[in-house]
């Protein structure tokens, strides 16, 4: 497979040489000078929209899956996994899907849920490994959705708040009683922390060509508080579970390529920012890549944080058995936990976490559709002309030194710069996460976005699911995304339809 990728890069070098200076930086310590030149050439922005680019259909390189498009398309393994590795993937799949129960239970090694929690399984939030669902926009038809949760913080700064904030040991200052996250479920004998309520206000946006769109602006509140009053200045950040595909490849993008996006000429004055966060394993400050504000550095740490905060399960990275229970919740801290000494010190021991990480890093990205379709190509050109590519950087070649063999030296098309950007007041939550402030969000990858509702018919978009269509998601862009958003508003109806057609092909 390595020879195949090298051949791809060599074949593309001559055609793209004129654009080479605008792409990959010289900081790739994993590449020879010859390979660096090839990488620069193939990752240069295209200027030809008359046909699909070479290898564009295989948007995750050799890991791309070409399985039949159906509701399980986000649950396929990387196509280049060995038989032995696929066995590990399947074990991880079982762990990702299984429901955890409260302790003590006869099903040992599956107990320890909570005591406070948001969901019983990973799959409950990441529906079929895709996006989660929000409570319905119609108050009379709202399901009991668990994929949308509320992060909590209070607005003290490092100079007058928690001493661990300044060195970055913690990402935010939690609410003193309710912690960093509202848990809306609890084990028997314990009250839940509260119930999230959402009120939506329609906002009409006029579009060129006589069209209009109605956005639904959410307002969040918390009812039925189970542990007394919450601080009045508590900041609330809604977070919807994102899709799981391609995570290992995103982790394998060379850091130099991500940091090069900061200084690149992006037009419209757009400058992204890296979120430097703490690696829980080493204690070092490293580049954040995952979650909605790039607040986690690795898939393994993101997964362990979800086990802790969402399900109240201890792992080697976050060994507290009581999840997000605080000192102000003594009943919670007195409940039994599920750690079994013969399995390990934690409720989810290291071996099980390894299986979950293997699964989470090898959920395959589906093959592109209709890349040579005239309307898709027209929409791609509009995507570039609107300067959406300033943040949604189309392509990379992953590191030769990636941790997993499946992810090494692959040409991928995730459409993200992996940086955080100020997205304007309408999308602001006021909650900082590491060095990302309350107006900043990580640029989400776009690969697979056109199959979102194939996987979950109830899925919606943006960090809190407020956008019911891809066009609505674009129209919510502010801050760094405002110029591109305004260009979309000014398009003709036919052009907007082509733009959406391109996004649906990803």
């Amino acid at each position: 497979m390595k020879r195949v990728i090298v051949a791809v890069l060599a074949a593309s070098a001559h055609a793209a040489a004129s654009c080479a200076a605008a792409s990959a930086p010289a900081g790739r310590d994993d590449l020879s000078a010859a390979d660096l030149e090839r990488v620069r050439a193939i990752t240069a922005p295209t200027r030809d929209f008359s046909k699909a680019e070479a290898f564009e259909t295989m948007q995750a390189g050799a890991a791309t899956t070409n399985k039949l498009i159906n509701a399980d398309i986000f649950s396929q393994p990387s196509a280049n996994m060995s038989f032995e590795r696929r066995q590990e993937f399947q074990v991880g799949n079982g762990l990702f899907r299984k429901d955890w129960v409260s302790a003590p239970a006869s099903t040992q090694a599956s107990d320890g849920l909570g005591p406070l929690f948001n969901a019983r399984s990973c799959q409950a939030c990441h529906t079929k490994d895709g996006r989660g669902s929000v409570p319905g926009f119609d108050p009379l038809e709202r399901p009991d959705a668990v994929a949308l949760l509320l992060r909590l913080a209070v607005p003290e700064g490092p100079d007058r708040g928690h001493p661990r904030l300044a060195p970055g040991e913690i990402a935010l200052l939690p609410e003193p009683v309710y912690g960093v996250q509202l848990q809306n479920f609890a084990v028997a004998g314990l009250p839940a922390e509260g119930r999230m309520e959402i009120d939506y206000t329609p906002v009409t946006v006029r579009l060129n060509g006589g069209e209009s769109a109605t956005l639904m602006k959410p307002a969040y509140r918390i009812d039925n508080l189970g542990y007394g009053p919450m601080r009045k200045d508590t900041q609330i950040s809604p977070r919807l579970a994102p899709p799981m595909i391609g995570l290992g490849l995103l982790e394998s993008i060379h850091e130099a390529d991500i940091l090069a996006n900061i200084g690149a000429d992006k037009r419209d004055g757009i400058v992204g920012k890296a979120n430097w966060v703490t690696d829980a394993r080493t204690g070092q400050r490293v580049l954040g890549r995952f979650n909605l504000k790039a607040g986690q550095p690795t898939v393994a740490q993101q997964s362990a944080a979800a086990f802790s905060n969402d399900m109240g399960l201890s792992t080697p990275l976050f060994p507290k058995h009581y999840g997000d229970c605080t000192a102000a919740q003594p009943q919670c801290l007195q409940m039994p936990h599920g750690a079994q000494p013969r399995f390990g010190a934690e409720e989810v021991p290291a071996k099980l976490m390894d299986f979950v990480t293997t699964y989470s890093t090898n959920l395959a990205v589906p093959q592109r559709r209709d890349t040579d379709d005239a309307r898709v190509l027209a929409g791609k050109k509009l995507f570039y002309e609107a300067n959406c590519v300033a943040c949604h950087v189309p392509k990379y070649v992953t590191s030769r030194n990636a941790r997993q063999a499946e992810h090494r030296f692959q040409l991928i098309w995730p459409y993200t710069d992996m940086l955080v950007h100020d997205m304007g007041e309408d999308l602001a939550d006021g909650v900082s996460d590491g060095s990302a402030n309350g107006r900043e969000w990580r640029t989400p990858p776009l690969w697979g976005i056109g199959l979102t509702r194939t996987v979950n018919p109830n899925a919606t978009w943006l960090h809190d699911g407020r956008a019911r269509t891809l066009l609505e998601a674009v129209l919510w862009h502010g801050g760094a995304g405002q110029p591109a958003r305004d260009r979309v508003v000014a398009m003709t109806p036919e052009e907007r339809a082509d733009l959406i057609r391109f996004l649906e092909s990803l």
Side-chain angles (χ1 to χ4, degrees):
M1 182 56 62
K2 183 166 79 171
R3 290 195 299 271
V4 172
I5 298 302
V6 170
V8 168
L9 297 175
S12 304
H14 179 73
S18 63
C19 299
S23 50
R28 291 288 298 263
D29 56 6
D30 61 317
L31 301 178
S32 67
D35 279 348
L36 179 59
E37 183 178 354
R38 298 183 183 111
V39 168
R40 284 174 166 171
I42 201 169
T43 57
T46 186
R47 297 178 181 178
D48 182 1
F49 301 98
S50 65
K51 61 183 184 299
E53 296 174 69
F55 314 105
E56 188 174 6
T57 299
M58 302 296 285
Q59 58 182 340
T64 307
T65 181
N66 62 357
K67 296 292 186 181
L68 180 68
I69 300 296
N70 58 28
D72 295 318
I73 190 58
F74 284 0
S75 300
Q76 306 302 319
S78 297
N80 56 350
M81 291 188 82
S82 67
F83 177 77
E84 293 76 16
R85 293 276 288 156
R86 287 185 185 230
Q87 290 181 306
E88 298 175 24
F89 177 90
Q90 294 301 336
V91 174
N93 182 21
L95 293 168
F96 197 84
R97 292 172 180 268
K98 84 167 181 174
D99 286 336
W100 293 79
V101 298
S102 58
S106 59
T107 54
Q108 293 184 354
S110 290
D111 63 348
L113 179 71
L116 300 169
F117 60 97
N118 294 98
R120 293 179 177 273
S121 70
C122 306
Q123 192 76 199
C125 293
H126 301 276
T127 305
K128 286 186 171 292
D129 303 299
R131 294 183 66 81
S133 301
V134 301
F137 288 90
D138 183 342
L140 299 179
E141 299 177 357
R142 290 186 179 174
D144 188 19
V146 301
L148 182 68
L149 54 84
L150 297 180
R151 296 290 297 274
L152 307 174
V154 291
E156 266 79 357
D159 57 334
R160 53 194 173 87
H162 200 289
R164 294 172 63 198
L165 271 174
E169 294 176 26
I170 59 175
L172 52 81
L173 189 60
E175 204 283 333
V177 174
Y178 292 89
V180 300
Q181 190 165 304
L182 182 80
Q183 278 87 24
N184 51 332
F185 297 104
V187 300
L190 198 67
E193 289 189 318
R195 184 180 71 242
M196 173 179 59
E197 295 288 350
I198 316 173
D199 298 314
Y200 289 99
T201 302
V203 178
T204 300
V205 178
R206 303 295 178 190
L207 308 173
N208 183 39
E211 295 185 337
S212 64
T214 300
L215 308 182
M216 300 297 286
K217 183 176 183 179
Y220 297 89
R221 68 180 190 277
I222 301 172
D223 289 345
N224 294 352
L225 288 171
Y227 296 87
M230 186 176 288
R231 272 183 47 162
K232 295 184 183 301
D233 59 351
T234 300
Q235 299 158 326
I236 296 174
S237 177
R239 307 284 180 94
L240 180 64
M244 299 287 296
I245 58 173
L247 298 184
L249 290 165
L250 296 176
E251 187 170 297
S252 302
I253 297 173
H254 198 285
E255 181 177 294
D257 285 353
I258 297 174
L259 298 181
N261 289 327
I262 298 174
D265 180 9
K266 296 295 187 178
R267 288 174 43 208
D268 298 323
I270 292 173
V271 179
K273 185 173 87 175
N275 188 4
W276 296 98
V277 300
T278 299
D279 186 317
R281 192 182 305 276
T282 66
Q284 300 298 309
R285 297 288 280 171
V286 295
L287 179 65
R289 296 174 186 247
F290 300 103
N291 86 20
L292 293 167
K293 288 179 180 269
Q296 297 291 355
T298 64
V299 177
Q301 185 163 319
Q302 171 68 24
S303 300
F307 271 113
S308 179
N309 292 330
D310 300 354
M311 292 182 283
L313 295 165
S314 56
T315 66
L317 282 181
F318 299 105
K320 182 182 175 183
H321 296 316
Y322 300 98
D324 193 32
C325 293
T326 70
Q329 299 167 326
Q331 287 177 280
C332 184
L333 299 173
Q334 294 169 7
M335 302 296 287
H337 61 74
Q340 305 290 333
R342 67 183 184 278
F343 298 130
E346 297 84 24
E347 292 161 319
V348 188
K351 187 61 177 177
L352 297 190
M353 281 304 304
D354 289 343
F355 285 129
V356 171
T357 301
T358 297
Y359 179 74
S360 299
T361 52
N362 280 290
L363 285 161
V365 178
Q367 185 173 292
R368 281 275 307 276
R369 286 89 47 218
D370 303 322
T371 52
D372 277 317
D373 180 85
R375 291 188 61 193
V376 170
L377 290 168
K380 179 181 176 181
K381 185 172 186 286
L382 291 163
F383 187 84
Y384 276 65
E385 290 175 344
N387 203 27
C388 302
V389 293
C391 301
H392 293 283
V393 174
K395 49 189 169 173
Y396 301 86
V397 173
T398 59
S399 173
R400 281 194 182 277
N401 301 326
R403 186 172 59 86
Q404 298 183 34
E406 297 88 356
H407 306 143
R408 293 172 190 155
F409 207 48
Q410 299 296 317
L411 172 62
I412 63 172
W413 308 69
Y415 286 90
T416 174
D417 61 3
M418 299 293 284
L419 302 173
V420 296
H421 296 269
D422 183 334
M423 293 304 295
E425 189 59 35
D426 284 340
L427 293 181
D429 63 355
V431 175
S432 296
D433 193 337
S435 54
N437 67 39
R439 292 169 59 98
E440 292 175 328
W441 300 93
R442 185 194 69 153
T443 305
L446 298 182
W447 52 11
I449 197 169
L451 297 174
T452 300
R453 283 190 169 156
T454 299
V455 173
N456 178 7
N458 296 317
T460 50
W461 290 273
L462 293 183
H463 68 278
D464 58 358
R466 69 177 69 186
R468 297 165 296 174
T469 67
L470 291 176
L471 178 59
E472 286 186 24
V474 173
L475 296 177
W476 275 111
H477 281 50
Q482 186 76 38
R485 177 259 187 205
D486 292 346
R487 292 182 185 111
V488 174
V489 170
M491 290 177 185
T492 66
E494 294 77 14
E495 288 172 333
R496 279 192 296 272
D498 287 347
L499 176 67
I500 298 303
R501 183 73 183 86
F502 164 68
L503 294 175
E504 290 173 343
S505 77
L506 295 178

